[in-house]
Coordinates of all heavy atoms in Angstrom, one line a residue:
M258 N 146.9 112.8 151.9 CA 148.1 112.3 151.4 C 148.3 110.9 151.8 O 148.0 110.6 153.0 CB 149.3 113.2 152.0 CG 149.2 114.7 151.7 SD 149.7 115.1 150.1 CE 151.5 115.2 150.4
K259 N 148.8 110.1 150.9 CA 149.1 108.7 151.2 C 150.5 108.3 150.8 O 151.1 109.0 150.0 CB 148.0 107.8 150.6 CG 146.6 108.0 151.1 CD 145.7 107.0 150.6 CE 144.3 107.1 151.4 NZ 143.4 106.1 151.0
V260 N 150.9 107.2 151.3 CA 152.3 106.7 150.9 C 152.3 105.2 150.7 O 151.5 104.5 151.3 CB 153.3 107.2 152.1 CG1 152.9 106.5 153.4 CG2 154.7 106.9 151.7
W261 N 153.2 104.8 149.8 CA 153.3 103.4 149.6 C 154.8 103.1 149.2 O 155.5 104.0 148.9 CB 152.4 102.8 148.5 CG 152.6 103.4 147.1 CD1 152.2 104.6 146.6 CD2 153.3 102.8 146.0 NE1 152.5 104.8 145.3 CE2 153.2 103.6 144.9 CE3 153.9 101.5 145.9 CZ2 153.8 103.3 143.7 CZ3 154.5 101.2 144.6 CH2 154.4 102.1 143.5
I262 N 155.2 101.8 149.3 CA 156.5 101.4 149.1 C 156.5 100.4 148.0 O 155.7 99.4 148.0 CB 157.2 100.8 150.3 CG1 157.4 101.9 151.4 CG2 158.6 100.2 150.0 CD1 157.9 101.4 152.7
D263 N 157.4 100.5 147.0 CA 157.6 99.5 146.0 C 158.6 98.5 146.5 O 159.8 98.7 146.5 CB 158.1 100.1 144.7 CG 158.2 99.0 143.6 OD1 158.1 97.8 143.9 OD2 158.3 99.4 142.4
Q264 N 158.1 97.4 147.1 CA 159.1 96.4 147.7 C 160.0 95.8 146.7 O 161.1 95.3 147.1 CB 158.2 95.3 148.4 CG 157.7 95.7 149.8 CD 156.5 96.5 149.7 OE1 155.7 96.5 148.7 NE2 156.3 97.4 150.7
D265 N 159.7 95.8 145.4 CA 160.7 95.3 144.4 C 162.0 96.1 144.4 O 163.0 95.5 144.0 CB 160.0 95.3 143.0 CG 158.9 94.3 142.9 OD1 158.9 93.3 143.7 OD2 158.1 94.4 141.9
L266 N 161.9 97.3 144.8 CA 163.1 98.2 144.8 C 163.8 98.4 146.2 O 164.8 98.9 146.3 CB 162.8 99.5 144.2 CG 162.2 99.5 142.8 CD1 161.7 101.0 142.4 CD2 163.2 99.0 141.8
C267 N 163.1 97.9 147.2 CA 163.6 98.2 148.6 C 164.8 97.4 148.9 O 164.9 96.2 148.6 CB 162.5 97.7 149.6 SG 162.9 97.9 151.3
T268 N 165.8 98.1 149.4 CA 167.1 97.5 149.8 C 167.1 96.9 151.2 O 168.1 96.2 151.6 CB 168.3 98.5 149.6 OG1 168.1 99.4 150.7 CG2 168.3 99.2 148.3
G269 N 166.1 97.2 152.0 CA 166.0 96.7 153.3 C 167.0 97.3 154.3 O 167.2 96.8 155.4
D270 N 167.5 98.5 154.0 CA 168.4 99.2 154.9 C 167.8 99.7 156.2 O 168.5 100.0 157.2 CB 169.2 100.3 154.2 CG 168.2 101.3 153.7 OD1 167.8 102.2 154.4 OD2 167.7 101.2 152.5
G271 N 166.5 100.0 156.1 CA 165.8 100.4 157.3 C 165.8 101.9 157.6 O 165.3 102.3 158.6
L272 N 166.3 102.7 156.7 CA 166.3 104.1 156.9 C 165.0 104.7 157.1 O 164.8 105.6 158.0 CB 167.0 104.8 155.7 CG 168.5 105.1 155.7 CD1 168.9 105.8 154.4 CD2 168.8 106.1 156.9
C273 N 164.0 104.3 156.4 CA 162.6 104.8 156.5 C 162.1 104.6 157.9 O 161.4 105.4 158.5 CB 161.7 104.2 155.4 SG 161.7 102.4 155.4
E274 N 162.3 103.4 158.4 CA 161.8 103.0 159.8 C 162.5 103.9 160.8 O 161.9 104.3 161.8 CB 162.0 101.6 160.0 CG 161.4 101.1 161.3 CD 161.7 99.6 161.6 OE1 162.8 99.2 161.3 OE2 160.7 98.9 162.0
E275 N 163.8 104.2 160.6 CA 164.5 105.0 161.6 C 164.0 106.4 161.5 O 163.8 107.1 162.6 CB 166.0 105.1 161.2 CG 166.8 103.9 161.6 CD 168.3 104.1 161.2 OE1 168.8 105.2 161.1 OE2 168.9 103.0 160.8
I276 N 163.6 106.9 160.4 CA 163.2 108.3 160.2 C 161.7 108.5 160.7 O 161.3 109.4 161.3 CB 163.4 108.8 158.8 CG1 164.9 108.9 158.4 CG2 162.7 110.2 158.6 CD1 165.2 109.1 157.0
A277 N 160.9 107.5 160.3 CA 159.4 107.6 160.5 C 158.9 106.3 161.0 O 158.1 105.6 160.2 CB 158.7 108.2 159.3
P278 N 159.2 105.9 162.2 CA 158.7 104.6 162.7 C 157.2 104.4 162.8 O 156.7 103.3 162.9 CB 159.5 104.4 164.0 CG 159.8 105.8 164.5 CD 160.0 106.6 163.2
D279 N 156.5 105.5 162.9 CA 155.0 105.4 163.0 C 154.4 105.1 161.6 O 153.3 104.7 161.5 CB 154.4 106.8 163.4 CG 154.8 107.0 164.9 OD1 155.2 106.1 165.6 OD2 154.6 108.2 165.3
V280 N 155.2 105.2 160.5 CA 154.7 105.0 159.2 C 155.3 103.8 158.5 O 154.6 103.1 157.7 CB 154.9 106.3 158.3 CG1 154.3 106.1 156.9 CG2 154.3 107.5 159.0
F281 N 156.5 103.5 158.8 CA 157.2 102.5 158.1 C 157.7 101.4 159.1 O 158.1 101.7 160.2 CB 158.5 103.0 157.3 CG 158.1 104.1 156.4 CD1 158.5 105.4 156.7 CD2 157.5 103.9 155.2 CE1 158.3 106.5 155.8 CE2 157.2 104.9 154.3 CZ 157.6 106.2 154.6
T282 N 157.8 100.1 158.6 CA 158.3 99.1 159.4 C 158.9 98.0 158.5 O 158.5 97.8 157.4 CB 157.2 98.5 160.3 OG1 157.9 97.6 161.3 CG2 156.2 97.6 159.5
L283 N 160.0 97.4 159.0 CA 160.6 96.3 158.3 C 160.1 94.9 158.8 O 159.9 94.8 160.1 CB 162.1 96.3 158.5 CG 162.9 96.9 157.3 CD1 162.6 98.4 157.2 CD2 164.4 96.6 157.4
L284 N 159.8 94.0 157.9 CA 159.3 92.7 158.4 C 160.4 91.7 158.2 O 161.5 92.0 157.8 CB 158.1 92.3 157.5 CG 156.8 93.2 157.7 CD1 155.6 92.6 156.9 CD2 156.4 93.4 159.2
D285 N 160.0 90.4 158.6 CA 161.0 89.4 158.6 C 161.6 89.1 157.2 O 162.6 88.4 157.1 CB 160.4 88.1 159.2 CG 160.1 88.2 160.6 OD1 160.7 89.1 161.3 OD2 159.3 87.4 161.2
D286 N 160.8 89.5 156.2 CA 161.3 89.3 154.8 C 162.4 90.3 154.4 O 163.0 90.2 153.3 CB 160.2 89.3 153.8 CG 159.5 90.6 153.7 OD1 159.9 91.6 154.4 OD2 158.5 90.7 153.0
G287 N 162.7 91.2 155.4 CA 163.8 92.1 155.1 C 163.4 93.3 154.3 O 164.3 94.1 153.9
L288 N 162.1 93.5 154.1 CA 161.7 94.6 153.3 C 160.8 95.5 154.1 O 160.2 95.1 155.1 CB 160.8 94.1 152.1 CG 161.6 93.1 151.1 CD1 160.6 92.6 150.1 CD2 162.8 93.8 150.5
A289 N 160.7 96.8 153.7 CA 159.9 97.8 154.4 C 158.5 97.8 153.9 O 158.3 97.7 152.7 CB 160.6 99.1 154.3
Y290 N 157.6 98.1 154.8 CA 156.1 98.2 154.4 C 155.6 99.4 155.2 O 156.1 99.9 156.2 CB 155.4 97.0 154.9 CG 155.8 95.7 154.1 CD1 156.8 95.0 154.5 CD2 155.1 95.4 152.9 CE1 157.2 93.8 153.8 CE2 155.4 94.3 152.2 CZ 156.5 93.5 152.6 OH 156.9 92.4 151.9
V291 N 154.5 100.0 154.6 CA 153.8 101.1 155.3 C 152.8 100.5 156.3 O 152.4 99.4 156.2 CB 153.1 102.0 154.3 CG1 154.1 102.7 153.4 CG2 152.1 101.2 153.4
K292 N 152.5 101.4 157.3 CA 151.6 101.0 158.3 C 150.4 102.0 158.3 O 150.5 103.2 158.0 CB 152.2 101.1 159.7 CG 153.3 100.2 159.9 CD 153.6 100.0 161.4 CE 154.2 101.3 162.0 NZ 154.6 101.1 163.4
D293 N 149.2 101.4 158.5 CA 148.0 102.2 158.7 C 147.6 102.0 160.2 O 147.0 101.0 160.5 CB 146.9 101.7 157.8 CG 145.6 102.6 157.9 OD1 145.6 103.5 158.7 OD2 144.7 102.3 157.1
G294 N 148.1 102.9 161.0 CA 148.0 102.7 162.5 C 148.8 101.6 162.9 O 150.0 101.6 162.6
E295 N 148.3 100.6 163.5 CA 149.0 99.4 164.0 C 149.1 98.3 162.9 O 149.8 97.3 163.0 CB 148.4 98.8 165.2 CG 148.6 99.7 166.5 CD 150.1 100.0 166.7 OE1 150.9 99.1 166.8 OE2 150.4 101.2 166.9
K296 N 148.3 98.5 161.8 CA 148.2 97.5 160.8 C 149.3 97.7 159.7 O 149.4 98.7 159.2 CB 146.8 97.6 160.1 CG 146.5 96.5 159.1 CD 145.0 96.6 158.8 CE 144.6 95.4 157.9 NZ 145.0 95.6 156.5
V297 N 150.1 96.6 159.5 CA 151.1 96.6 158.5 C 150.5 96.2 157.2 O 149.9 95.1 157.1 CB 152.3 95.7 158.9 CG1 153.3 95.8 157.8 CG2 152.9 96.1 160.2
L298 N 150.6 97.1 156.2 CA 150.0 96.8 154.9 C 151.0 95.9 154.0 O 151.6 96.4 153.1 CB 149.6 98.1 154.2 CG 148.7 99.0 155.0 CD1 148.3 100.2 154.2 CD2 147.5 98.3 155.5
S299 N 151.1 94.7 154.4 CA 152.0 93.8 153.7 C 151.3 92.8 152.8 O 151.9 91.9 152.2 CB 152.9 93.0 154.7 OG 152.0 92.3 155.6
D300 N 150.0 92.9 152.7 CA 149.2 91.9 151.9 C 148.2 92.7 151.1 O 147.2 93.1 151.5 CB 148.5 90.9 152.8 CG 147.7 89.9 152.0 OD1 148.0 89.7 150.8 OD2 146.8 89.3 152.6
P301 N 148.6 93.1 149.8 CA 149.7 92.6 149.1 C 151.0 93.5 149.2 O 152.1 93.1 148.8 CB 149.2 92.7 147.6 CG 148.3 93.9 147.6 CD 147.7 93.9 149.0
G302 N 150.9 94.7 149.8 CA 152.0 95.6 149.7 C 152.1 96.3 148.3 O 151.2 96.2 147.5
G303 N 153.1 97.0 148.1 CA 153.3 97.7 146.8 C 152.2 98.8 146.6 O 151.7 99.3 147.5
A304 N 152.0 99.0 145.3 CA 151.1 100.1 144.9 C 149.7 99.9 145.4 O 148.9 100.8 145.5 CB 151.1 100.4 143.4
D305 N 149.3 98.7 145.6 CA 147.9 98.4 146.1 C 147.7 98.6 147.5 O 146.6 98.5 148.0 CB 147.6 96.9 145.8 CG 147.4 96.7 144.3 OD1 147.1 97.6 143.5 OD2 147.7 95.5 143.8
S306 N 148.8 99.0 148.3 CA 148.7 99.2 149.7 C 149.1 100.6 150.0 O 150.3 100.9 150.2 CB 149.5 98.2 150.5 OG 148.9 96.9 150.5
L307 N 148.2 101.5 150.0 CA 148.4 102.9 150.3 C 148.1 103.2 151.8 O 147.0 102.8 152.2 CB 147.6 103.8 149.4 CG 148.0 104.0 148.0 CD1 146.8 104.4 147.1 CD2 149.1 105.1 147.9
A308 N 149.0 103.8 152.5 CA 148.7 104.1 153.9 C 148.5 105.6 154.0 O 149.2 106.4 153.4 CB 149.8 103.7 154.8
P309 N 147.4 106.1 154.8 CA 147.3 107.5 155.0 C 148.5 108.0 155.9 O 149.0 107.3 156.8 CB 146.0 107.6 155.8 CG 145.8 106.2 156.4 CD 146.4 105.2 155.5
I310 N 148.9 109.2 155.5 CA 150.0 109.8 156.3 C 149.4 110.5 157.5 O 148.6 111.4 157.4 CB 150.9 110.8 155.5 CG1 151.5 110.0 154.3 CG2 151.9 111.4 156.3 CD1 152.2 110.9 153.3
P311 N 149.8 110.1 158.8 CA 149.2 110.7 159.9 C 149.5 112.1 160.1 O 150.6 112.6 159.6 CB 149.8 109.9 161.1 CG 150.3 108.6 160.5 CD 150.7 109.0 159.1
D312 N 148.7 112.9 160.8 CA 149.0 114.3 161.1 C 150.4 114.4 161.7 O 150.7 113.7 162.6 CB 147.9 114.9 162.0 CG 146.6 115.0 161.4 OD1 146.5 115.0 160.1 OD2 145.6 115.2 162.1
G313 N 151.1 115.4 161.2 CA 152.4 115.6 161.8 C 153.6 114.7 161.3 O 154.7 114.9 161.7
Q314 N 153.2 113.8 160.4 CA 154.2 112.9 159.9 C 154.7 113.2 158.5 O 155.6 112.5 158.0 CB 153.7 111.4 160.0 CG 153.4 110.9 161.4 CD 154.7 110.6 162.1 OE1 155.7 110.0 161.5 NE2 154.9 111.0 163.3
L315 N 154.1 114.2 157.9 CA 154.4 114.4 156.5 C 155.9 114.8 156.3 O 156.5 114.2 155.3 CB 153.5 115.5 155.9 CG 153.7 115.8 154.4 CD1 153.5 114.6 153.6 CD2 152.8 117.0 154.0
D316 N 156.4 115.6 157.1 CA 157.8 116.0 156.9 C 158.7 114.8 157.0 O 159.7 114.7 156.3 CB 158.2 117.1 157.9 CG 157.6 118.5 157.6 OD1 157.1 118.6 156.5 OD2 157.7 119.4 158.5
A317 N 158.5 113.9 158.0 CA 159.3 112.8 158.2 C 159.2 111.8 157.0 O 160.1 111.2 156.6 CB 158.9 112.1 159.5
V318 N 157.9 111.7 156.5 CA 157.7 110.8 155.3 C 158.4 111.4 154.1 O 159.1 110.6 153.3 CB 156.2 110.6 155.1 CG1 156.0 109.9 153.7 CG2 155.6 109.9 156.2
I319 N 158.4 112.7 153.9 CA 159.1 113.3 152.8 C 160.6 113.1 152.9 O 161.3 112.7 152.0 CB 158.8 114.8 152.7 CG1 157.3 115.0 152.2 CG2 159.7 115.5 151.7 CD1 156.8 116.4 152.3
E320 N 161.1 113.3 154.2 CA 162.6 113.0 154.4 C 162.9 111.6 154.1 O 163.9 111.3 153.4 CB 162.9 113.4 155.8 CG 164.4 113.2 156.1 CD 164.7 113.5 157.6 OE1 163.9 114.0 158.3 OE2 165.9 113.1 158.0
A321 N 162.1 110.7 154.5 CA 162.4 109.2 154.3 C 162.4 109.0 152.8 O 163.3 108.2 152.3 CB 161.3 108.4 155.0
A322 N 161.4 109.6 152.0 CA 161.4 109.3 150.6 C 162.6 109.9 149.9 O 163.2 109.3 149.0 CB 160.1 110.0 150.0
E323 N 163.1 111.1 150.4 CA 164.3 111.7 149.9 C 165.5 110.9 150.2 O 166.5 110.8 149.3 CB 164.5 113.1 150.4 CG 163.4 114.1 149.8 CD 163.5 115.5 150.4 OE1 164.2 115.6 151.4 OE2 162.9 116.4 149.9
E324 N 165.6 110.3 151.4 CA 166.8 109.5 151.8 C 166.8 108.1 151.3 O 167.9 107.5 151.3 CB 166.9 109.5 153.3 CG 167.0 110.9 153.9 CD 168.4 111.6 153.6 OE1 169.4 110.9 153.4 OE2 168.4 112.8 153.5
C325 N 165.7 107.6 150.9 CA 165.5 106.2 150.6 C 166.5 105.8 149.4 O 166.4 106.3 148.3 CB 164.1 105.9 150.2 SG 163.8 104.3 149.5
P326 N 167.4 104.9 149.7 CA 168.4 104.5 148.7 C 167.8 103.8 147.5 O 168.3 103.8 146.4 CB 169.4 103.7 149.4 CG 168.8 103.2 150.6 CD 167.7 104.2 151.0
G327 N 166.6 103.1 147.7 CA 166.0 102.4 146.6 C 165.1 103.3 145.8 O 164.5 102.9 144.8
E328 N 164.9 104.6 146.3 CA 164.0 105.5 145.7 C 162.6 104.9 145.4 O 162.0 105.0 144.4 CB 164.5 106.1 144.4 CG 165.8 106.9 144.6 CD 166.4 107.5 143.3 OE1 165.7 107.4 142.3 OE2 167.4 108.2 143.4
C329 N 162.1 104.2 146.5 CA 160.9 103.4 146.3 C 159.8 103.7 147.3 O 158.9 103.0 147.4 CB 161.3 101.9 146.4 SG 162.1 101.5 148.0
I330 N 159.9 104.9 147.9 CA 158.8 105.4 148.7 C 158.1 106.5 147.9 O 158.7 107.5 147.4 CB 159.4 106.1 150.0 CG1 160.0 105.0 150.9 CG2 158.2 106.7 150.8 CD1 160.7 105.5 152.1
F331 N 156.8 106.3 147.7 CA 156.0 107.1 146.8 C 154.9 107.8 147.6 O 154.1 107.1 148.3 CB 155.4 106.3 145.7 CG 156.5 105.7 144.8 CD1 156.9 104.4 145.0 CD2 157.1 106.5 143.8 CE1 157.9 103.8 144.2 CE2 158.1 105.9 143.0 CZ 158.5 104.6 143.2
I332 N 154.8 109.1 147.5 CA 153.8 109.9 148.2 C 152.7 110.3 147.2 O 153.1 110.8 146.1 CB 154.4 111.1 148.8 CG1 155.4 110.7 149.9 CG2 153.3 112.0 149.4 CD1 156.3 111.8 150.4
E333 N 151.5 110.0 147.5 CA 150.4 110.3 146.6 C 149.5 111.4 147.2 O 149.1 111.4 148.3 CB 149.5 109.1 146.4 CG 150.3 107.8 146.0 CD 150.5 107.8 144.5 OE1 149.8 108.6 143.7 OE2 151.2 106.9 144.0
V334 N 149.2 112.4 146.4 CA 148.3 113.5 146.8 C 146.9 113.1 146.3 O 146.7 112.8 145.1 CB 148.7 114.8 146.1 CG1 147.8 115.9 146.6 CG2 150.2 115.2 146.5
E335 N 146.0 113.1 147.2 CA 144.6 112.7 146.9 C 143.9 113.8 146.2 O 144.1 114.9 146.4 CB 143.9 112.3 148.2 CG 144.5 111.1 148.8 CD 143.8 110.8 150.2 OE1 143.2 111.7 150.8 OE2 143.9 109.7 150.6
Ligands
SF4_220 S1 164.5 103.5 153.1 FE1 163.7 102.7 151.1 S2 165.1 101.1 150.5 FE2 165.4 101.5 152.7 S3 164.1 100.1 153.8 FE3 163.0 101.9 153.5 S4 161.8 101.7 151.6 FE4 163.4 100.1 151.7

C-alpha cells in the first residue's frame, strides 16, 4: 500500500501531520507531503511521489485521508 497527496488541493491545515506524523509533513510552502522514512517526497510531489505506508500506520493514514478537508490524500493498493 502506498500513499500520495495532491498538493494542488491541499489546504495546509496540517490535520494529516497531526494524525500520522510518521507519514505526512508540512513544508515551508504550507503544503503537506508524504515521507518515505526520513525522506520528504517533495520533488516533484503529487501523483509522481508515492510513499510506502509503514507497518502499523495504515489505520492512521486511512483516518487522515477521511479527515482531510481537501480530500487530497490518495491510498493506492499495489
Ligand atoms: S489533511 Fe489534507 S488538506 Fe490538510 S494538510 Fe493534510 S493533505 Fe493538506
Side-chain angles (χ1 to χ4, degrees):
M258 304 278 280
K259 293 189 171 183
V260 61
W261 63 281
I262 293 173
D263 184 348
Q264 278 80 27
D265 288 343
L266 301 174
C267 176
T268 69
D270 58 86
L272 265 178
C273 53
E274 187 181 42
E275 281 179 33
I276 294 169
D279 290 343
V280 181
F281 304 109
T282 191
L283 260 70
L284 295 186
D285 290 344
D286 62 7
L288 300 174
Y290 293 87
V291 291
K292 296 196 294 186
D293 184 355
E295 291 302 309
K296 186 170 186 282
V297 180
L298 304 183
S299 59
D300 183 19
D305 290 332
S306 286
L307 283 155
I310 300 174
D312 288 346
Q314 293 289 316
L315 181 58
D316 286 351
V318 170
I319 290 171
E320 182 183 347
E323 288 175 348
E324 298 293 329
C325 172
E328 297 185 1
C329 54
I330 297 173
F331 298 96
I332 298 167
E333 306 276 350
V334 180
E335 293 174 340

